């Protein structure tokens, strides 16, 4: 039961937030550039990342919810979460005040510290699911 809740919750977050970004893709391009992380801080790379990432989030979210391609979905989830933590940590350390665009601008997730806590909790859940998936004992992940 716990595994199913974690899997569906993670999948739902990626699915919903990915869809929110797709609905306001122009704003997300701006959010990506505001992070000032080369080469994604200028065209065409900001657009490339902003148009690639949300559909990937949707696919990963669906994979987790529907229990399809679990190993790949979990690996991509972990990779994205680590990347998000690195990006948020980067702007935080540089003293930049940017909107991350995580939710397509519709949900306020608080400041950088709360972002990092949320991402850490999500990463912890992902690692737990990966361990359970690899153990083979609960390969179905509920």
């Amino acid at each position: 039961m716990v595994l199913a809740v974690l899997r569906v919750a993670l999948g739902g977050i990626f699915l919903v937030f990915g869809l929110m970004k797709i609905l306001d893709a122009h704003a997300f391009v701006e959010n990506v550039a505001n992070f000032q992380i080369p080469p994604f801080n200028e065209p065409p790379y900001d657009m490339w990342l902003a148009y690639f990432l949300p559909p990937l989030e949707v696919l990963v979210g669906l994979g987790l919810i529907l229990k399809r391609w679990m190993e790949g979905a979990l690996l991509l989830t972990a990779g994205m979460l680590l990347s998000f933590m690195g990006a948020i940590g980067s702007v935080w350390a540089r003293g930049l005040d940017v909107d991350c665009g995580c939710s397509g601008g519709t949900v306020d997730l608080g400041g950088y510290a709360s972002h990092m806590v949320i991402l850490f909790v999500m990463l912890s859940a992902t690692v737990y699911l990966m361990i359970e998936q690899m153990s083979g004992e609960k390969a179905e992940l509920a």
Side-chain angles (χ1 to χ4, degrees):
M1 177 69 170
V2 171
L3 295 174
V5 170
L6 288 176
R7 180 180 50 75
V8 171
L10 279 170
I13 290 168
F14 275 97
L15 177 64
V16 170
F17 281 17
L19 288 172
M20 288 177 170
K21 285 180 251 192
I22 288 171
L23 293 174
D24 195 3
H26 178 71
F28 190 56
V29 171
E30 201 171 298
N31 293 134
V32 168
N34 288 341
F35 272 75
Q36 300 177 20
I37 299 175
F40 303 110
N41 57 331
E42 58 187 46
Y45 303 106
D46 56 352
M47 287 180 25
W48 179 84
L49 183 61
Y51 284 99
F52 172 78
L53 186 60
L56 180 63
E57 290 178 330
V58 169
L59 288 174
V60 165
L62 287 172
L64 291 171
I65 292 168
L66 301 174
K67 297 193 305 187
R68 300 284 185 210
W69 313 291
M70 285 303 297
E71 292 86 2
L74 289 168
L75 186 61
L76 285 169
T77 299
M80 284 191 288
L81 291 169
L82 287 169
S83 297
F84 299 159
M85 290 174 86
I88 295 290
S90 169
V91 294
W92 193 6
R94 291 181 286 146
L96 300 177
D97 184 20
V98 301
D99 174 16
C100 72
C102 302
S103 66
T106 57
V107 177
D108 183 10
L109 299 175
Y112 294 140
S114 64
H115 273 75
M116 294 299 267
V117 168
I118 292 166
L119 292 170
F120 180 78
V121 168
M122 291 174 67
L123 182 60
S124 298
T126 302
V127 169
Y128 179 71
L129 290 171
M130 290 173 93
I131 291 168
E132 290 298 323
Q133 179 73 23
M134 290 172 31
S135 74
E137 296 174 9
K138 298 177 182 173
E140 294 295 318
L141 288 181

